[in-house]
C-alpha cells in the first residue's frame, strides 16, 4: 500500500511537489464554499468519499461546510472495488469500506469525493455502485486534482487543481490521515512492468 | 490467495484475515435493497455435490448469485454418475463446459485435491468425507469474531461496529469443540483455521470418537465436558453422524446425551459471554437440547447467514482477479 511510502521516498525518486499542505487546505476550503454556493446551503447534500483518499477528503469538506453553516453534513464512503472494469487484469483486491449515512441516499444530492480524476473509470464504477444503493436526486463530483486524460465522458463539478500531465507521469496525493502529511506530488512513472498502485496511475 | 481452497491448512493468517475482512464488507450487501454485485458477471460456478447437503449448496448458490455468477447445480441423483461415470470424466465434462470454479462435496477424502489437477478453474472444497470443510471453518471463525472479536460483545444490529474487527484475529479465545470428532470434517478444519487465527482449541469427545492419531493437531484434548465448559468462550457442538457410524461408538444416545449433550444445566457452567455454535444439521435432544439451540447465546441461525457472506468472499477472492487460465505464475502458488 502506498500508505507505507513516506513523502521522503517520493522526493528521492524524483517526485516534484505540486501542492503543499497550505495549498490543499485552501483548495478544500474553496470547494466547500463552492458546494455551499451551488447547492444553496447544502441542504440535502451527502458527501461520499471513494476509498482510500477520497474518504478523508470528504471528511475535511464536511467539517469545513459545518464550520461555515453551523450544521453537520452527512458524510460516508462508497467502495467501488466490486464495480471496477479492470478486476480481471490484476490479482484480487481487498475491499474498501462502504458506509452510508443512516438516512440513505434516496432523493439526496450526492457529492462523490476522490483525490485524483484521471481516466474517469473510477467515477464510472462509483456511479454504478450508487445505482445499486438507491436513487439520488443528483450526483456531483469533487476532486482534489484533475490530471486530464479522460477515457470516458465524465467531468468534475468541483476541482481543487487542474494539473496538466503527460500519461507517463504519476500523480500522488498524500493526506495526513493516511500518509502522515499533506502533499500532491508529480513524478515520472515507475519503471515499466512495475505493477504500481499509485493513485494517479489508476486506470 | 491460492487458486483453490482445499484445506484450511492452506490458509496463512493473513489470507484467512483477508477472507474474513472481505466477508465483513460483503455482509452489508445483505442489508441493501439490491442484494447483488456485478463482480463475477459472465463467470460460471458449478456446484458438484456427490453427497446430500442443503445449507452448504444453497449457501454457495446464493453467494455465487449475489456476485452475478452463473450457477450450475450438479447432484448425483439424475446425473450420469448414477450410471457409473467416474469423477475424472465428470471433471472433464465440466471443464469442457467452461466452469470457472467447481464447488465440490464428495464422500471420499481427497476428491477435491484430485479434481484440482483435472480442471483449469478454481476448486473449492465443500466437504470431503471426514477430511475437511474449510468454508465452514471460515464462517465459524467469522461468527466468533463478530460476536467476541476484540474481547467485547458486539451489540446485535450495530452496523458501524463491525468495521472495528478488520484485521483482528481470534487471539486468546478459548474454543471447545465437542462430540463426534472422529467423523467430523468441521472439527479438523476448525482446529486448523482457529489455531492459525490464534485461538486455543480444545477437543472434547468420548475416547471412541477421537481419531487414532491426533499428534499433529494444534489443540488439546479431554474427555470431560463439565471440566472444559467454565473456561470456554465458545462451545461448538458437533453432530453425531449416525450415517457414518456402522459400529457402536457409544452405548446409547441417551448416555451420550447425558455425558456430552449441551443442556441448560451445562449452559449454567459457561461464562456469561460465551456463545454456542453448531454447524448443523442438529440432532435436537442428542448433542444439543432444543432450548439451548433456540436460546439467545446460540449463533446457529447467524452461522447460516454468515455462511453466504464468507462464501461470497471466497468466490470473489478466487475468481475476480486474473483469469487463472491466462495467468502464468503469481496468482497461483
Amino acid at each position: 500500500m502506498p500508505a507505507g511510502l513516506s513523502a521522503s521516498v517520493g522526493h528521492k525518486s524524483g517526485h516534484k511537489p505540486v501542492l503543499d499542505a497550505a495549498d490543499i487546505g485552501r483548495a478544500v476550503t474553496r470547494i466547500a464554499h463552492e458546494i455551499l454556493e451551488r447547492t444553496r446551503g447544502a441542504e440535502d447534500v451527502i458527501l461520499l468519499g471513494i476509498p482510500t483518499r477520497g474518504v478523508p477528503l470528504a471528511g475535511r469538506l464536511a467539517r469545513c461546510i459545518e464550520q461555515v453553516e453551523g450544521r453537520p453534513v452527512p458524510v460516508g464512503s462508497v467502495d467501488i472495488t466490486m464495480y471496477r472494469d479492470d478486476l480481471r487484469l490484476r490479482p484480487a483486491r481487498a475491499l474498501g469500506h462502504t458506509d452510508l449515512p443512516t438516512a440513505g441516499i434516496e432523493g439526496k444530492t450526492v457529492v462523490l469525493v476522490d483525490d485524483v480524476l484521471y481516466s474517469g473509470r473510477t467515477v464510472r464504477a462509483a456511479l454504478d455502485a450508487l445505482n445499486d444503493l438507491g436513487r439520488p436526486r443528483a450526483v456531483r463530483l469533487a476532486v482534489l486534482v484533475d490530471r486530464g486524460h479522460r477515457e470516458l465522458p465524465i467531468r468534475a463539478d468541483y476541482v481543487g487543481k487542474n494539473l496538466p500531465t503527460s500519461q507517463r507521469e504519476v500523480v500522488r496525493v498524500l493526506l495526513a490521515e493516511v500518509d502522515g502529511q499533506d502533499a500532491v506530488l508529480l513524478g515520472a512513472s515507475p519503471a515499466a512492468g512495475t505493477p504500481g498502485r499509485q493513485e494517479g496511475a489508476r486506470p | 490467495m491460492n487458486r483453490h481452497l482445499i484445506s484450511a491448512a492452506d490458509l496463512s493468517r493473513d489470507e484467512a484475515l483477508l477472507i474474513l475482512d472481505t466477508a465483513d464488507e460483503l455482509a452489508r450487501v445483505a442489508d441493501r435493497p439490491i442484494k447483488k454485485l456485478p463482480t463475477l458477471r459472465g463467470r460460471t460456478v458449478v456446484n458438484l455435490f456427490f453427497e446430500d447437503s442443503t445449507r452448504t449448496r444453497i449457501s454457495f448458490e446464493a453467494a455465487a448469485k449475489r456476485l452475478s455468477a452463473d450457477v450450475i447445480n450438479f447432484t448425483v441423483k439424475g446425473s450420469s454418475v448414477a450410471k457409473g461415470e467416474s469423477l475424472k470424466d465428470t471433471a472433464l465434462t465440466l471443464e469442457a463446459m467452461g466452469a470457472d470454479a467447481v464447488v465440490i462435496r464428495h464422500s471420499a477424502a481427497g476428491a477435491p485435491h484430485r479434481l484440482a489437477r483435472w480442471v483449469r478453474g478454481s476448486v473449492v472444497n465443500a466437504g470431503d468425507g471426514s477430511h475437511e470443510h474449510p468454508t465452514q471453518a471460515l464462517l465459524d471463525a467469522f461468527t466468533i469474531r463478530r460476536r467476541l472479536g476484540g474481547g467485547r460483545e458486539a451489540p446485535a444490529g450495530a452496523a458501524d461496529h463491525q468495521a472495528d474487527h478488520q484485521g483482528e484475529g481470534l487471539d486468546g479465545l478459548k474454543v471447545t469443540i465437542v462430540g463426534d470428532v472422529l467423523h467430523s470434517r468441521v472439527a479438523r478444519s476448525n482446529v486448523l483455521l482457529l489455531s492459525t487465527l490464534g485461538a486455543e482449541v480444545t477437543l472434547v469427545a468420548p475416547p471412541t470418537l477421537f481419531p487414532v492419531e491426533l499428534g499433529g493437531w494444534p489443540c488439546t484434548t479431554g474427555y470431560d465436558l463439565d471440566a472444559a465448559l467454565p473456561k470456554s468462550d465458545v462451545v461448538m457442538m458437533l453432530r453425531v453422524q449416525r450415517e457414518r457410524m456402522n459400529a457402536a461408538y457409544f452405548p446409547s444416545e441417551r448416555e451420550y446425551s447425558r455425558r456430552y449433550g449441551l443442556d441448560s444445566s451445562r449452559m449454567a457452567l459457561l461464562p456469561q459471554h460465551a456463545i454456542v455454535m453448531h454447524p448443523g444439521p442438529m440432532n435436537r435432544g442428542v448433542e444439543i437440547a432444543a432450548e439451548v439451540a433456540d436460546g439467545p447465546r446460540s449463533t446457529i441461525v447467524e452461522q447460516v447467514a454468515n455462511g453466504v457472506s464468507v462464501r461470497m468472499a471466497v468466490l470473489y477472492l478466487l475468481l475476480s482477479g486474473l483469469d487463472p487460465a491466462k495467468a502464468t505464475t503469481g496468482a497461483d502458488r
Side-chain angles (χ1 to χ4, degrees):
Chain A
M1 291 294 287
L5 301 168
S6 74
S8 58
V9 177
H11 291 307
K12 267 179 216 157
S13 59
H15 289 256
K16 183 179 74 190
V18 188
L19 298 182
D20 61 18
D23 296 330
I24 291 176
R26 279 190 286 269
V28 168
T29 311
R30 198 193 76 240
I31 292 174
H33 280 99
E34 282 180 14
I35 292 174
L36 278 171
E37 209 175 280
R38 283 196 231 166
T39 58
R40 303 203 173 139
E43 282 282 334
D44 272 338
V45 165
I46 291 181
L47 298 168
L48 289 182
I50 300 175
T52 310
R53 287 170 186 72
V55 180
L57 275 177
R60 290 184 191 192
L61 284 172
R63 278 194 298 279
C64 206
I65 291 175
E66 190 178 344
Q67 272 172 17
V68 176
E69 289 291 294
R71 175 170 50 77
V73 182
V75 58
S77 61
V78 55
D79 181 54
I80 56 119
T81 312
M82 304 298 270
Y83 296 87
R84 299 187 76 100
D85 58 5
D86 61 346
L87 279 171
R88 295 187 62 176
L89 304 178
R90 307 201 193 165
R93 305 148 183 265
L95 299 187
H97 201 54
T98 296
D99 193 10
L100 292 185
T102 38
I105 60 171
E106 206 71 28
K108 303 284 171 60
T109 299
V110 170
V111 179
L112 289 170
V113 184
D114 203 1
D115 52 354
V116 179
L117 178 59
Y118 185 16
S119 64
R121 286 176 194 265
T122 301
V123 177
R124 199 274 316 158
L127 291 173
D128 281 358
L130 284 183
N131 198 32
D132 283 359
L133 294 169
R135 185 179 182 278
R137 196 175 62 76
V139 182
R140 310 283 180 227
L141 175 62
V143 295
L144 185 61
V145 176
D146 181 352
R147 62 166 295 188
H149 305 290
R150 217 74 77 239
E151 291 161 11
L152 295 170
I154 281 170
R155 64 169 177 79
D157 301 276
Y158 311 100
V159 180
K161 178 159 180 68
N162 281 302
L163 190 62
T165 58
S166 110
Q167 275 185 307
R168 287 194 303 276
E169 287 171 316
V170 173
V171 176
R172 289 197 49 204
V173 171
L174 304 176
L175 294 175
E177 294 90 329
V178 183
D179 311 284
Q181 70 170 101
D182 279 4
V184 176
L185 306 173
L186 178 64
S189 80
T194 311
R197 202 199 148 274
Q198 272 83 2
E199 292 303 305
R202 186 155 71 189
Chain B
M1 283 283 285
N2 277 336
R3 194 150 64 80
H4 309 293
L5 180 60
I6 310 280
S7 159
D10 296 342
L11 295 171
S12 68
R13 186 185 162 99
D14 286 346
E15 285 168 335
L17 287 177
L18 176 64
I19 295 174
L20 299 189
D21 292 349
T22 306
D24 245 331
E25 292 298 334
L26 292 175
R28 294 148 166 264
V29 175
D31 307 329
R32 300 183 359 180
I34 297 170
K35 299 177 188 29
K36 217 166 167 79
L37 293 164
T39 316
L40 296 183
R41 211 175 44 189
R43 319 214 79 188
T44 305
V45 175
V46 174
N47 280 330
L48 182 58
F49 276 66
F50 291 92
E51 261 193 348
D52 294 336
S53 157
T54 34
R55 78 199 66 216
T56 307
R57 188 180 61 73
I58 291 172
S59 183
F60 268 109
E61 184 169 350
K65 283 183 170 167
R66 281 195 187 165
L67 292 170
S68 303
D70 297 316
V71 181
I72 298 173
N73 284 314
F74 179 102
T75 40
V76 169
K77 284 193 194 83
S79 75
S80 292
V81 174
K83 299 177 193 161
E85 190 175 58
S86 72
L87 177 62
K88 182 166 188 178
D89 290 329
T90 307
L92 295 176
T93 307
L94 298 176
E95 182 67 26
M97 288 179 187
D100 296 295
V102 181
V103 177
I104 177 174
R105 165 162 296 189
H106 202 283
S107 57
H113 183 78
R114 293 291 291 169
L115 184 70
R117 300 195 197 170
W118 295 325
V119 296
R120 261 179 302 157
S122 296
V123 173
V124 180
N125 183 358
D128 56 337
S130 313
H131 181 228
E132 284 235 38
H133 193 356
T135 57
Q136 177 71 41
L138 284 163
L139 78 89
D140 289 338
F142 183 77
T143 306
I144 296 172
R145 190 170 81 159
R146 279 208 152 183
R147 280 286 191 116
L148 302 173
R152 62 199 133 74
E153 275 192 70
D160 292 345
H161 212 85
Q162 287 146 14
D164 298 351
H165 304 319
Q166 294 270 332
E168 253 175 47
L170 303 174
D171 301 282
L173 286 175
K174 293 186 174 57
V175 182
T176 304
I177 301 178
V178 187
D180 189 356
V181 177
L182 178 62
H183 299 100
S184 178
R185 50 196 173 210
V186 177
R188 186 195 303 261
S189 289
N190 261 305
V191 167
L192 295 169
L193 181 76
L194 297 180
S195 61
T196 301
L197 290 170
E200 295 163 28
V201 185
T202 305
L203 297 175
V204 176
T208 50
L209 286 178
F210 269 121
V212 181
E213 183 57 65
L214 264 175
W217 291 31
C219 63
T220 53
T221 56
Y223 303 131
D224 184 356
L225 179 56
D226 292 328
L229 288 178
K231 40 185 198 260
S232 305
D233 300 303
V234 178
V235 189
M236 192 180 295
M237 304 307 294
L238 299 173
R239 183 171 63 93
V240 174
Q241 302 200 26
R242 275 173 287 201
E243 79 275 18
R244 292 189 212 275
M245 291 188 186
N246 44 18
Y249 288 93
F250 44 79
S252 71
E253 277 186 6
R254 199 174 138 88
E255 182 173 330
Y256 179 86
S257 180
R258 281 274 174 82
R259 295 204 55 193
Y260 295 100
L262 191 63
D263 54 22
S264 7
S265 62
R266 285 214 166 89
M267 279 297 284
L269 296 174
L270 280 169
Q272 274 307 310
H273 68 272
I275 56 169
V276 177
M277 309 181 76
H278 193 300
M282 287 180 274
N283 297 313
R284 282 173 187 258
V286 182
E287 70 266 4
I288 189 164
E291 70 265 26
V292 174
D294 301 330
R297 291 158 76 184
S298 149
T299 62
I300 296 166
V301 180
E302 214 173 303
Q303 282 170 269
V304 177
N306 290 343
V308 178
S309 307
V310 163
R311 288 172 178 126
M312 283 172 78
V314 167
L315 290 174
Y316 164 70
L317 291 168
L318 289 177
L319 289 183
S320 79
L322 289 161
D323 188 345
K326 287 180 206 152
T328 46
T329 49
D332 49 27
R333 206 186 277 174

